[in-house]
Amino acid sequence: MKYIFVTGGVVSSLGKGLTAAALGALLEMRGLTVRIQKFDPYLNVDPGTMSPYQHGEVYVLEDGAETDLDLGHYERFTSGKLSRINSLSSGQVYESVIQKERRGAYLGKTVQVIPHVTNEIKERITVAAKDVDILITEIGGTTGDIEGLPFLEALRQFALEQGPRDVVFLHVTLVPYLAAAGELKTKPTQQSVAKLREIGIQPHVLVCRSEKPIDASVRDKLSMFCNVPVKAVIECRDVDSIYELPIALQQEGLDQLVVELFGLNKPQPERNVWAELARRINNPAHTVRIGVVGKYIELQDAYKSVYESVTHAGIANNAKVEVVRVDAEDLEKRGGTALLKGLDGILVPGGFGDRGTEGKIIAARYARENKVPYYGLCLGLQIAVIEFARNVLKLKGANSTEFDAASPHPVINMMEEQKKIIDKGATMRLGSYECALTSGSKAAKAYKAESIRERHRHRYEVNNAYVGQLQRGGLTVSGINPRRNLVEIVELKDHPFYLAVQFHPEFQSKPLHAHPLFTAFVAAALKQRKPFKSAKAKSKAKAKPKAQAAGAKASKPSTQSRKAARPAKKRA
Ligand code: GLN
């Protein structure tokens, strides 16, 4: 068993999660089984109750665990399915320690951070490492945070208990460029490494985020003052697409270094799937414009997996997807649909609360009436049903009881069992459920299957009392939960692509295996635009294969701060 611990220094949002994921991808390519997990020092039990302004997306695992969005990166870059044991917060650690204390499990001892809290953390490392060659553990936050100390102390102890060749500490740090001095500065990194060494951790590898190339003299300096060999100073500059990161790190020798540190004989195979992927990303034959209509549109990370899934579908369709972010509230202002003109497809992602819902309904109506491909995810399905009920079935005031408790036509309603629940945390319909598909439907054709499993995170459902009317009106139910007879997928027959799902397919899409529904949606969007632009787009793509500008920040949401983008006053 080998362990890699990933810490972060100087500032947050350096892309530690992506670094861990990309390293995992490289090690998997060498034939090692890899699992990645995250330790988060905050006191929430999980991020399920946090606002997107605080936390970005909540990523849902197959077993229903609500986790940090970094787990999305881990699942997208590596093949291992993750479960709730791969996500640990201080809140969970303390909850467990306190429960044990109440049970008398500590046999009269004084319960302390060392050893009781640290033991709890170490145990999670051991449990998660079962059956894999390499476990990568990312520690959230930045070195020097008070909250992070018990975790770092636990890692120090753990490393001491293992053999010297079994643990690698990898520190992701910032090497800023000071324009006034015209230099890259190493001092912040020196100081964050000094902080780690103070608590007994000597990093083996430094992954240095930097805007400029790190030359030999800067590498020497980092090596000398941080006490790491020069070849363990890994430069990590911004990449156009996050899926180019594995190759960028490989070129710096990161995976080779790690296998050498572990004394493993696992050479890089000839076929490099990540290099192949990077070539495909950089040579798209088409472009397509997909509008995402949401209320957290200004945040980089709120719809992370949705944006990534659309990118994967673009790769699968040999197209570069331009995501146009549309604020649902802007559509509520008069003449708002102008914002939707020229879009090749419209996607309405998940959401909670009534702010912006009327704007989303406007978008769904526009897509239905103008035959623009529409794809609704979770709330996006509920929106499609409300819109159809109001404007096609003429059910005045049709709504979800989430937005209007007194609606005369509650086409979306809370399940009976949900009505009794008081606690907000981990009480939604969560995780993977079966869905039976109607043969011959668009959904069944896209999945090429009769039964599938998808992940859920919602409290409300389509009200079965209205299903007959909806179907007779032309909104077909093409997927149901067979055990509980719940609507899972709806689609319109006479429309190029109008499909919405009650689940979150975005949690199962990967760059190397795009999700079939996303792929079908982007394909439909591409088809729609063909009469107008395909010839032009083709010649353009030929003349300029590298469509994304180097260093274009907007195309790398991963490196942006999920907290920095938090506006001061907005209703959640
Ligand atoms: N707010 C809706 C519900 O709870 C939709 C949730 C979502 O989109 N994830 O059912």
Side-chain angles (χ1 to χ4, degrees), residues 350-353 377-379 382 402 457-460 502 504:
F352 296 84
L377 311 178
C378 206
L379 178 64
Q382 301 174 357
E402 179 180 9
R457 182 172 189 257
H458 56 102
R459 263 181 232 288
Y460 294 81
Q502 187 55 77
H504 289 278

Side-chain angles (χ1 to χ4, degrees), residues 15 27 35 91 98-99 105 131 144 150 165 179 184 199 210 231 259 273 316 352-353 358 382 425 438 443 495 507 545:
L27 295 172
R35 200 71 84 247
I98 289 166
Q99 275 168 7
D131 303 327
R165 302 201 79 170
L184 287 171
I199 47 181
S210 158
K231 73 170 184 179
V259 291
V273 286
F352 296 84
E358 291 301 324
Q382 301 174 357
T438 309
H495 192 285
F507 298 142

Side-chain angles (χ1 to χ4, degrees), residues 112-129:
Q112 294 176 300
V113 171
I114 304 170
H116 302 105
V117 166
T118 48
N119 282 352
E120 198 77 27
I121 296 168
K122 284 193 287 182
E123 196 185 304
R124 189 58 79 90
I125 300 170
T126 311
V127 173

Side-chain angles (χ1 to χ4, degrees), residues 171-461:
H171 191 57
V172 183
T173 177
L174 178 71
V175 180
Y177 177 76
L178 275 200
E183 288 189 318
L184 287 171
K185 289 295 184 187
T186 66
K187 191 73 80 195
T189 297
Q190 291 179 40
Q191 286 179 340
S192 91
V193 170
K195 268 250 160 296
L196 276 178
R197 292 167 69 188
E198 218 171 82
I199 47 181
I201 293 173
Q202 167 62 55
H204 301 88
V205 184
L206 294 180
V207 170
C208 304
R209 296 303 317 276
S210 158
E211 281 172 50
K212 307 251 175 202
I214 303 179
D215 66 23
S217 70
V218 178
R219 286 178 196 245
D220 285 345
K221 209 164 160 187
L222 285 163
S223 157
M224 185 57 71
F225 288 110
C226 300
N227 198 33
V228 298
V230 177
K231 73 170 184 179
V233 176
I234 304 292
E235 172 190 297
C236 182
R237 309 245 309 278
D238 288 351
V239 279
D240 291 344
S241 157
I242 57 170
Y243 302 113
E244 291 172 316
L245 187 59
I247 297 312
L249 293 172
Q250 189 172 53
Q251 280 161 359
E252 280 283 299
L254 177 62
D255 53 329
Q256 183 57 33
L257 175 72
V258 168
V259 291
E260 278 171 22
L261 283 166
F262 285 144
L264 295 170
N265 181 19
K266 285 279 181 188
Q268 161 64 35
E270 235 160 72
R271 180 155 185 227
N272 191 327
V273 286
W274 291 95
E276 286 169 18
L277 181 78
R279 268 196 297 279
R280 292 230 304 279
I281 291 173
N282 285 317
N283 295 287
H286 322 276
T287 58
V288 63
R289 298 181 82 218
I290 302 291
V292 175
V293 182
K295 76 169 168 173
Y296 296 114
I297 236 54
E298 76 279 23
L299 299 183
Q300 210 51 263
D301 286 341
Y303 306 114
K304 182 64 125 198
S305 295
V306 173
Y307 295 144
E308 294 307 324
S309 303
V310 167
T311 304
H312 306 159
I315 300 169
N317 279 291
N318 205 7
K320 175 181 157 43
V321 180
E322 187 196 328
V323 172
V324 180
R325 301 175 183 206
V326 180
D327 189 331
E329 284 178 289
D330 287 343
L331 291 174
E332 291 167 13
K333 294 164 196 157
R334 240 150 55 97
T337 53
L339 292 168
L340 304 171
K341 297 256 155 63
L343 294 175
D344 304 315
I346 292 176
L347 190 158
V348 176
F352 296 84
D354 68 344
R355 186 163 65 81
T357 49
E358 291 301 324
K360 292 174 194 175
I361 290 170
I362 291 169
R365 179 176 196 168
Y366 174 90
R368 182 177 56 76
E369 292 180 344
N370 294 284
K371 303 253 188 271
V372 178
Y374 176 89
Y375 186 31
L377 311 178
C378 206
L379 178 64
L381 172 139
Q382 301 174 357
I383 291 290
V385 169
I386 297 167
E387 191 280 317
F388 196 84
R390 283 188 196 172
N391 300 319
V392 180
L393 304 182
K394 306 289 177 205
L395 300 177
K396 215 164 160 254
N399 215 333
S400 164
T401 50
E402 179 180 9
F403 317 132
D404 178 7
S407 166
H409 293 291
V411 288
I412 308 293
N413 203 356
M414 202 185 263
M415 282 183 294
E416 282 309 312
E417 66 202 54
Q418 279 286 341
K419 290 181 184 160
K420 299 177 206 120
I421 294 172
I422 297 163
D423 279 356
K424 286 271 185 276
T427 55
M428 287 187 245
R429 176 146 91 101
L430 285 168
S432 180
Y433 285 89
E434 189 192 346
C435 168
L437 304 173
T438 309
S439 62
S441 62
K442 275 199 187 85
K445 280 185 194 146
Y447 277 109
K448 297 191 180 67
E450 285 170 6
S451 168
I452 47 125
R453 292 191 74 84
E454 292 281 2
R455 300 181 195 174
H456 291 248
R457 182 172 189 257
H458 56 102
R459 263 181 232 288
Y460 294 81
E461 306 280 349

